[in-house]
Amino acid sequence: MHETHPQRDGGATRRSVMAAALTTGVLATLGPTASAAASSGSTRSNTAAPTASWFAQPAKSARPRFRWWWPDGLVDPVEIAREVDQMADAGFGGAEIAAVHHSITDTSVLDTARHGWGSPAWRAGVTAALRQAARRGLTIDLTLGPSWPVAVPGVTPDDAAAVKELAYGKATLTAGAAYDGPVPASVYAAASGVTQQKLVAVQAARVNTAYSSGKATGLDAESVTDLTGQVSGGHLSWTPPDSATWVILSYWQRGSGQQPEAGPHSSPAAYVVDHFSAAGTAAVTRYWDSTILDSTLRQLLRSAGGTFFEDSVELETKGLQWTPGLPAAFREHTGRDLLPYLPAVVLDNGNQIFAFEARLTQEIRHDFWETVSGLFNKHHLGALTSWAHGHGMKMRSQPYGLQTDAIASAAVLDVPEGESLGFKNLDDYRCLAGGRDMAGHRILSCEAGAYAGGAYNTTWDKFLRTMGGAYAAGVNQTVIHGFSYATAPGVSWPGFAAFSPYSGAPGYGESWGPRQPTWRHVPDITTYLGRVHEVLQSGTARADIAVFRQTGYTATGIGASWLTSTGVPLGWTHQFLSGPLLDLPSAKVSGGRLAPDGPAYKALFLEGDFFYGSTPTLAVTDARRLLKFARAGLPTVLLGAFDQALTPGLPDDGEQAELRSLTAQLLSLSNVRQITDKTLVGAAFAELGVTSDAVYSVSSTLLNAHRVTDDADFYYLCNGKHAETVKPAVALIDHDVTLRATRRKGSGAVPYLLDPWSGQVTRLAQYTQDGDAFTFRVTLQPGETPVVALGAPGLFGDRAGSRPHAVATDADTALFADGSLAVRAFTTGIRTTTLSTGRKVTTAIPEVPAAVPLDRWTLSVDDWRPGTTATTTTIATHSLVLDALLPWSQIPELADVGGIGRYRTTVTLPNTWTSDMGALLRLGSVSDTCRVTVNGTQLGPVDRLNPVVDLGGHLRHGANLIEVEVATPLFNRLRISNPTVFGTSARQAYGLIGPVRLTPYVQQKVT
């Protein structure tokens, strides 16, 4: 059938709609800032060299944020201001106001008429939040509607602005039987509130079981016959031309009647808007401009506003997602009529129900969803972004959930966002990072820490392990899931929790805040995260390889051959690009690099389309771009039969031949390799002289992210894993790593170690150097995350300057202390250190006291219990003497306790103890957060992922008092206080579990 359709008018490119959405369409509407960023490919510009305080004291804008759940507008402005203060005091940088109350099953108690989303009461709460945030230097984000997807009051299911579906009806004719009756009704009744529907078309098609696949009935594409003109008064009479089996198909356009999750939230009720039309977006912006944003709020947004936010696009329908403008958009995009192809795209509960010949079906579905993607990016994300800018705000969104190009969407948005719950692995983040960096934006956000059944049992170490890998994949902003407003009608202690109970059980995510014992230690967490964000928001991101995707979905868990499984464990980094990104101004090649002012990819990798049977497809427009890049010097590797490449969508006359000509030219170039075995990808890069910026001596679970400023290369390292479900668990790593300095400014570099927990920056004392490559040993526990910077001597104000360093030592550690090279050892003897000058120096280590196991402790516990109201807590105390450390769940007095425990012990050190001696306090297992005090001095934050504390300078000969304060979740107490919801789960192991060991050392200068 597709052979007979005319070529599109004027030879318009296949992705004309999408390209327009990213360049002349959307970027032009975003104003000069966004256009300039996209043009230059640059992200954050560092005009001044980083300092130690820059890292130690991260800006509020870099601090983690909260998803702040409100029971719609049933909030007190005084309490709202108090909660802003609570977040600010704990070191957070802002919050996103979201109307979410899945835990409240009787929504009538919220009184939507008086306290609904968008009501005067809700607006008073928003005003209070913005006003107090402005006072405290925080920013407030606003979701575009209550819950999700985006909806606003006043839109009814039948409105032009309401979300649409295309429903289908069917009648089967066998043995040449005629049809005489009403047009087949939809197989599903319309949703409640939907009173209107429009007949789009009626068709007949001959069944061909040879094309059937799974539950999809095969049809002959050439047989599709339009019967719409034969319908009269809702009645159809038609006789098939032969005795084969035929189907009569009807298509009904109507509202899907979808409301935002867990509503109603407003009065009148809000209905989800059409995400593919200008009318749907206009309904949202019109409601905000006319009903919500009074002069006070407009002014406050410019003082303390951050972003408008949209959650993942969860459009729910039993039919096909639709908009009235789709047929016209499809013709503009492809030059063809959509209606003859509808049988291949119509859906039934998300399932394909009819199919043409397999390849033709694949082409049609590709073109359809590519058209939808263009409409979504242009009319929804692009228009909302432009509108947000008009209010001094930015637009943040999770641009996935549909079969649309999320990579391209990430380029449209100011702040694309992923999520730790819905993303299958790190490649899902790398998709969004590609769009962000090619468009020249700075932030990739993450909805972080939502765990099924995680209410009141989520630990911060679990959260940090989850996020460690996400940061390596491009995330550099954290929106924590979440902070619940204090109370709501009918809730129980410790207060309102948006998602708990959820269907009678512990719900999603956590309700952080002062209700949690661990809140006492949260400033340690927020400062740690702020330092990580500060580094990862600086300069520009670098990635070794651009992986070109024919279909730009994300939240799929699908990675790249060799790179994901083999390359990443060796140090390689990659991001994903889709076709529309190749039209951005940054998509140029210079010096053998793609986007040289941005990610500066060293090579491009292309393989078959995973989403369409791994077929080696390439659009002609994309082939032209790739050929241009390769001719400009970009190394390119193609995996698969790209000498026989096919267009991803329906080809025009001559288009397939043109594609083959372009790929033949591409494959003839000396800097292009075609391979047929995915295990040879790495070898192909090697043949082309492409190497990674980071190189590991062994295959490892070490992950890295590389960012470059004018003054330094920053490498974020994390001992993590590609996905949380990967087995076996991550273990200790201990191997060499080589990092390359690539910064342009100046010459000469030394490596610095940046500790995100302490905020200290110290020059690395032991490494070897080969030109701009630095090799050193990396030893990390699971989840542990240091940062290494390569910059000029003295960059962070350190006193070591360009002094010689160690290239080898048989001491346990070499380090710079007070500007001088020193070695540290845990046993006595002579230690030999080879300096970078070639000189060998010996150091005598005197007798080191033996390690001391710390088993006996006194323990005082503040036991948090329900108070007289849902938001008050009473505290009972327990005092115990422990001869051995055990989890609280195994101590009868503490089995059902959640709260704060203070462990105290005394260790006596010999009279031979000197100022050259110190000790490491190894805490072993501890849950959840903790702090250490030695002889009355509270030490800095404890690394939750490797709880080892250096007590150097705090110990003395004789008796030393060591105190460990541990804060736990509330889950064990809630098992008793609220057994209906929490009682069926097992107790959690809380407290200082150990084993705890004090390991002395001697540290001496290398002279």
Side-chain angles (χ1 to χ4, degrees), residues 41-46 54 433 436-437 440-444 471-476 532-543 573 575 598-599 693 704-716 740-743 787-790:
S42 64
T43 55
R44 185 177 181 178
S45 173
N46 285 34
W54 161 84
R436 173 199 64 183
D437 291 334
H441 300 309
R442 182 164 60 99
I443 303 297
L444 173 56
Y471 290 132
V475 169
N476 56 9
V532 170
H533 295 166
E534 190 78 80
V535 168
L536 294 178
Q537 291 178 15
S538 296
T540 58
R542 290 286 191 265
T573 58
Q575 293 180 345
D693 285 338
N704 79 84
H706 183 193
R707 295 193 74 95
V708 179
T709 70
D710 289 342
D711 301 284
D713 286 75
F714 290 93
Y715 286 89
Y716 165 88
R740 189 170 300 279
T742 64
R743 67 191 178 95
V787 174
V788 174
L790 307 177

Side-chain angles (χ1 to χ4, degrees), residues 314-332:
E314 300 177 25
L315 300 182
E316 298 171 354
T317 171
K318 294 180 179 179
L320 177 70
Q321 286 89 6
W322 189 257
T323 187
L326 245 176
F330 189 86
R331 169 163 279 283
E332 181 183 355

